Amino acid sequence: MDSNITDYQAIIQQVFNSYIEFLGETKDIQFETVFDRENDRYLLVEVGWQDSRRIYGTLLHIDIINDKLWVQQDGTEEGVANELVALGIPKSQIVLGFKPVDRRKITEFAIS
């Protein structure tokens, strides 16, 4: 396995764990990490109940495609891509997949 991919996987796990720690789990709401290393798909999912309302959704979804991190879903306030950069991943290796291509062109991140 490519060492960049291994590094990316470790950084994704570190970021997900920091979000879980920051947001905090309760007895009624938990976070699940889904690490599909074979297909390079990584999700952070929120699951539970708040009063009588079901809580379920994907907070973060990152894929590794052609040696780049594709942020497919970003439910954070600050933007997970900025955290990835702070942890050493170049902007040229991060694609904001949740944005249309014409919007990606005006960001500092990769287009594809």
Side-chain angles (χ1 to χ4, degrees), residues 1-12 40 42 64 66-69 88-90 93:
M1 181 179 288
D2 187 337
S3 66
N4 276 346
I5 301 298
T6 304
D7 293 343
Y8 290 171
Q9 291 170 336
I11 289 171
I12 291 168
D40 285 320
Y42 309 92
I64 303 174
N66 297 326
D67 297 326
K68 292 185 180 179
L69 295 181
I89 298 177
Q93 292 301 112

Side-chain angles (χ1 to χ4, degrees), residues 5 10 14 17 21 28 47 49 54 60-61 73-75 82 84 93 97 99:
I5 301 298
Q14 179 183 346
N17 288 338
E21 185 178 317
D28 296 324
V47 180
W49 291 91
R54 179 70 171 156
L60 293 169
H61 175 175
Q73 169 66 22
D74 186 352
N82 295 320
L84 296 170
Q93 292 301 112
K99 291 189 178 286

Side-chain angles (χ1 to χ4, degrees), residues 99-107 111:
K99 291 189 178 286
V101 174
D102 61 324
R103 299 278 299 158
R104 285 185 224 154
K105 291 177 183 178
I106 60 173
T107 71
I111 296 169

Side-chain angles (χ1 to χ4, degrees), residues 41-63:
R41 291 187 177 90
Y42 309 92
L43 291 89
L44 178 59
V45 180
E46 185 177 28
V47 180
W49 291 91
Q50 187 172 45
D51 300 319
S52 60
R53 191 176 76 119
R54 179 70 171 156
I55 304 294
Y56 180 85
T58 302
L59 180 63
L60 293 169
H61 175 175
I62 300 173
D63 293 331

